[in-house]
Structures are given as C-alpha cells and as structure tokens.
Amino acid sequence: MKEDNRPKFTTKFGVIAATVGSAVGLGNIWRFPYEAGMHGGGAFLLVNLLCVLLIGIPVVCAEFVLGRASRRNIFGAMDYLAPKGGKWWRIAGFLGVLSGTLILSFYAVVAGWTLEYLFQSLSGNLTAGGVRESHAEFNNFTAGWRCVFWTIVLLSINGVVVLRGVKKGIENVSNWLMPLLFVLLVMMTVNSLLLPGAMDGLRFLFIPDMAHVDSSTFLSALGQAFFSLSVGLGTLTVYGSYFPSDTKIVKSASIMAGLDTLVAIVAGMIIFPAVFAFGKEPAAGPQLVFEVLPDIFRQMTGGAIWSSVFFLLLLIASLTSTISLSETGVAFCIERWHLKRSKAVALTMGFVTFFGIFCALSFGPLAHVTFFGMTVFGLFDYVTSNIFLPLGGMMVSIFVGWIVDRVTVDKQLSPASKYVRKSIVFLLRYVCPLAILAVFINNLIG
Ligand code: PHE
C-alpha cells in the first residue's frame, strides 16, 4: 500500500489517545492490582517499572518503527522489510495476527462481564440488599448464557467502530473516551483516598517488601509489562503504520508507556485503600475486581454510584483495547486479501465471535471441555500470554535489532538523539531477546 492512500491519525492528541487507549485496559485495572496483590505489592511495582523501562519501551519503539517504515500490518511489514530470502519472517507476523484474534476472543468475554456489572450497578441491583455471596453470584453469572450475550454486544460495538475506519472510528472514539477515562480515574482515586485506613493500602502498594522478590516476581512483572503495553502481536505495528510521518516515535512510546504505568499505579491506589479499609484480602487473585470490589461497594456510602463509575471506567479501558485488537485483524485482512474494510470487519468479527462464544461458555456449559487440563478460555489465555506474546516480542526485537537495516531504523527513531537511538538498538539486540527467552523458558517449564 502506498504511503499516500494509507489512512492516518490526524493529530498528535489522536496518536496518543489511540495508543494509550490500546495499552490501558483490563491489564491495568484488573490484572495489575491482582498480580501486585499476589506478588508482594511494592516489590512487584518496582520490578515492573524496570521491565517497562528496559524492555517494554524499546519493543514498543520497535513495533512503531516496523509499522511506519512499511506502512503495513505486522505480516506485511516483516515481509516488506526482511532482506531477500527472509520471507519466512512473515510467519512471525502471522503468529502475531493470530494471537491478536485469540486474545480478543477471551478478552471480549471479560470486557463483557464489565458490561453486565455496569448494567447491574446502574440498575442498583449490584449494591442492593447488603453483603451477600459475591463469589456464588459471579459464578452463576459466568456459567450462564448472559455472558455470551454481553460478549456479542461488546464485539458488535467494536465492529461498528472499526468499520468507521482509522480517523472517524478509532481516533474519534479514543479522543472522546480517553479524557473521560482520566476524569473517572481521578474521581475514583479521590474517593478511595478519603476512606479511613487508606494509608495501609498505599503502604502495601508503594513500600517494596524485598522478601517477596524472587524469580516469579520478575517473570510475572515482565509478562504484565508486555500484556499491558500491548506489545508482541502487531497491534502497535498497525497503529504505527497510521502515524503521520512527523510523529516522534521514541517520545510517543515513552508517553504511552508512562501513562499506561501511571494508570496501573492509580488503579492500585483506587483498589488497595478500599480493600484495606474494608478488611479484605489483597491477594484475592483474578476475582479481586468482580467479587471483592462489589462487596466493598455494598458497604460504601453512595456505593451504587461508585460501582457505576468504576465499571464504566473498566468498560472504557477495555473497549479501546479491544478496538486495537480488532483493527489488528482487520488491517491484515484488508492488506493480505485486498478486501474492502466492510468485508474485512465482517470476517474478523465473525471469526472472533465464533471463538468468543466458546470462551464465554467455558465457565458453564463447556466447562468440561478441556485441552491439556484447560478450558477453551484458559487455553487461549495460556497460549497467547505465555507462548505467542513472548515469542512475538522476541521476534520483533530481533527483527528490528538485527535484520532491518540500521539506516531505516535510525531514520524512524530520529529526531531522538544518537545516544538514545543507540541505546534502544542495543536493548533490542541483546537485553530484550535474552530477558524474554528467560521468561519463555521459565513459563514453559514452570
Ligand atoms: N494492553 C491491553 C491491556 O492492558 C491488552 C492488549 C494486549 C491490547 C495486546 C492489545 C494487544 O488491557
């Protein structure tokens, strides 16, 4: 595709809103707090920050470079930028697109849960009737067909947005939703910090307990950084391919990673003070948001309002991320098979909805259908997070660090200073692949 007729984001704000929209999602507000809760709070945060800085940002830059230098999706980018005889690199690109659609299939299910919880909050049902069995309530809901319905609703919203295209769909929606997200975040944070006992929560989040740092902290922190920054599967390559030619890649990657990390920390500042103030368990795991928080909202003054604000926040965050995942598949279909956008959207969303339904049913009717002891949902989550994402991230860093010619990389990374460009290439060549390899092997054998 020629540079001229490639759709582009139109403003600097649009670039940041779309990329931050992709990065900020369930990974920050749902996953980060429970990972931190299970791995020693502040200690996890510290290791996570290091991973973002030394591994996350360079790989984000690499994906932006791939996208803008080629003006293609990751499959096309690897095909286009690989030297003669390096056509097999596009297999890595294909793996990226595939993992994007698989992630979307289970991610949409969790995002669908937030739709239900928002609906229940707004109608007052979630907080009505005092303390009750949140665990059973959550299990009942996820085991039924209602969550299939919400998954389909969520994917349909995605379909409508990506159908409208890069500027009118993705950029426009991100421009509206991201500022709203930040307003809701501030409201929730102020409310949490005013709770009696909030300090205990902050202490848990910010004071590192080094006794909790072991190899599993490092591995989870790196996995968290990757998932949260949306790297390793070509989503950011596609967004990079829509960057105007004067977008500063290193600066955008740093702003994006900075805001993404900030939102994760702020989510911790919302959740942990409330958890401690109401005497709950911070290491509750994935149920933290859907089981522990509703209990807390029930006891809070104005609980119905706060739970509505919280689940709206979670919905917005996950929606902008699913949009970026949808576009990963759509861009591939448009370029690879020369499809019209409408056909590409129908194909991608059809594929994802099909698998999404299986994932949604994994907690009920299909709970007994297992592969290697995992449900369809569990399998998709495991294969993408533990195998495809790290492998994809490693491929991207090796590809941009070693294979793409230095002049192209330097040109894309400028106007960053020579020192910064050299450091990024160094990290991409040595540090990122080795660190990811360590995670990969450990995940497989652990
Ligand atoms: N970064 C998103 C989140 O934190 C998830 C995501 C992963 C989105 C990969 C796009 C690609 O929720």
Side-chain angles (χ1 to χ4, degrees):
M1 190 171 284
K2 283 206 202 72
E3 156 126 19
D4 301 336
N5 51 28
R6 180 98 182 152
K8 309 241 169 50
F9 295 129
T10 50
T11 60
K12 285 195 178 100
F13 185 81
V15 166
I16 297 299
T19 50
V20 173
S22 171
V24 171
L26 294 167
N28 308 60
I29 303 170
W30 171 64
R31 201 170 185 274
F32 176 82
Y34 82 69
E35 285 280 343
M38 294 193 313
H39 292 100
F44 179 82
L45 176 61
L46 197 70
V47 183
N48 180 253
L49 286 177
L50 272 178
C51 293
V52 169
L53 205 66
L54 294 179
I55 301 166
I57 295 181
V59 187
V60 173
C61 287
E63 283 215 30
F64 288 163
V65 165
L66 276 184
R68 199 175 55 186
S70 68
R71 296 283 180 209
R72 282 163 170 80
N73 78 92
I74 185 143
F75 178 89
M78 288 190 151
D79 196 23
Y80 177 75
L81 295 171
K84 269 206 172 73
K87 287 287 178 214
W88 59 272
W89 272 104
R90 56 191 195 162
I91 300 173
F94 182 73
L95 206 71
V97 178
L98 183 70
S99 53
T101 32
L102 295 185
I103 289 184
L104 184 55
S105 311
F106 73 83
Y107 196 101
V109 174
V110 184
W113 297 346
T114 67
L115 265 169
E116 163 79 2
Y117 274 69
L118 174 62
F119 180 73
Q120 296 294 347
S121 303
L122 289 171
S123 65
N125 283 343
L126 191 79
T127 43
V131 176
R132 55 179 188 258
E133 244 318 311
S134 297
H135 179 63
E137 216 164 77
F138 178 69
N139 280 353
N140 269 344
F141 160 63
T142 51
W145 285 87
R146 256 179 101 84
C147 68
V148 175
F149 167 74
W150 288 121
T151 306
I152 296 176
V153 172
L154 190 109
L155 288 173
S156 311
I157 303 175
N158 270 275
V160 173
V161 175
V162 287
L163 186 63
R164 291 178 60 83
V166 175
K167 201 176 111 197
K168 286 206 192 116
I170 301 171
E171 184 173 358
N172 224 345
V173 167
S174 310
N175 280 348
W176 281 98
L177 291 185
M178 292 329 279
L180 179 60
L181 179 99
F182 278 89
V183 172
L184 297 179
L185 270 174
V186 172
M187 281 169 67
M188 285 300 305
T189 316
V190 172
N191 180 50
S192 263
L193 294 183
L194 290 178
L195 291 171
M199 275 321 282
D200 288 334
L202 294 187
R203 225 170 276 134
F204 175 77
L205 179 63
F206 289 116
I207 300 186
D209 173 3
M210 284 310 175
H212 275 102
V213 180
D214 57 16
S215 71
S216 88
T217 311
F218 186 80
L219 303 177
S220 335
L222 185 59
Q224 169 62 23
F226 259 63
F227 187 81
S228 186
L229 289 171
S230 306
V231 289
L233 44 81
T235 297
L236 297 179
T237 306
V238 172
Y239 275 14
S241 75
Y242 302 145
F243 281 5
S245 26
D246 61 348
T247 298
K248 299 183 176 97
I249 283 184
V250 181
K251 193 172 163 195
S252 306
S254 312
I255 295 178
M256 175 193 137
L259 286 175
D260 183 57
T261 309
L262 183 72
V263 174
I265 294 174
V266 169
M269 287 169 62
I270 291 172
I271 290 170
F272 291 121
V275 167
F276 278 86
F278 289 91
K280 299 284 182 189
E281 177 51 56
Q287 299 92 323
L288 192 62
V289 162
F290 293 101
E291 293 180 11
V292 178
L293 283 189
D295 266 349
I296 292 175
F297 289 130
R298 270 174 213 129
Q299 298 170 54
M300 202 180 254
T301 1
I305 300 175
W306 291 114
S307 66
S308 307
V309 173
F310 180 79
F311 286 108
L312 179 62
L313 175 81
L314 198 56
L315 177 67
I316 294 177
S318 41
L319 196 61
T320 44
S321 298
T322 49
I323 290 171
S324 71
L325 285 164
S326 307
E327 182 65 12
T328 310
V330 170
F332 171 79
C333 294
I334 294 179
E335 291 160 42
R336 181 75 188 135
W337 295 307
H338 306 289
L339 297 183
K340 277 209 182 108
R341 181 165 275 272
S342 53
K343 285 214 173 108
V345 171
L347 189 66
T348 309
M349 297 331 265
F351 186 82
V352 173
T353 307
F354 178 77
F355 285 110
I357 292 174
F358 281 94
C359 291
L361 292 174
S362 293
F363 298 85
L366 296 183
H368 60 282
V369 180
T370 54
F371 304 87
F372 312 106
M374 290 175 270
T375 60
V376 179
F377 182 104
L379 181 75
F380 282 17
D381 184 5
Y382 181 85
V383 170
T384 51
S385 314
N386 295 334
I387 302 177
F388 286 4
L389 272 195
L391 208 60
M394 195 159 79
M395 295 285 195
V396 167
S397 48
I398 294 175
F399 189 73
V400 175
W402 294 97
I403 309 288
V404 180
D405 83 288
R406 269 303 283 280
V407 182
T408 309
V409 176
D410 262 356
K411 192 171 147 225
Q412 293 298 332
L413 290 178
S414 57
S417 71
K418 197 171 161 202
Y419 174 73
V420 169
R421 281 181 275 147
K422 272 195 158 164
S423 310
I424 290 177
V425 173
F426 175 81
L427 290 169
L428 284 175
R429 287 190 155 186
Y430 305 100
V431 180
C432 301
L434 288 176
I436 299 167
L437 191 68
V439 174
F440 190 51
I441 293 174
N442 243 297
N443 271 341
L444 280 187
I445 56 176

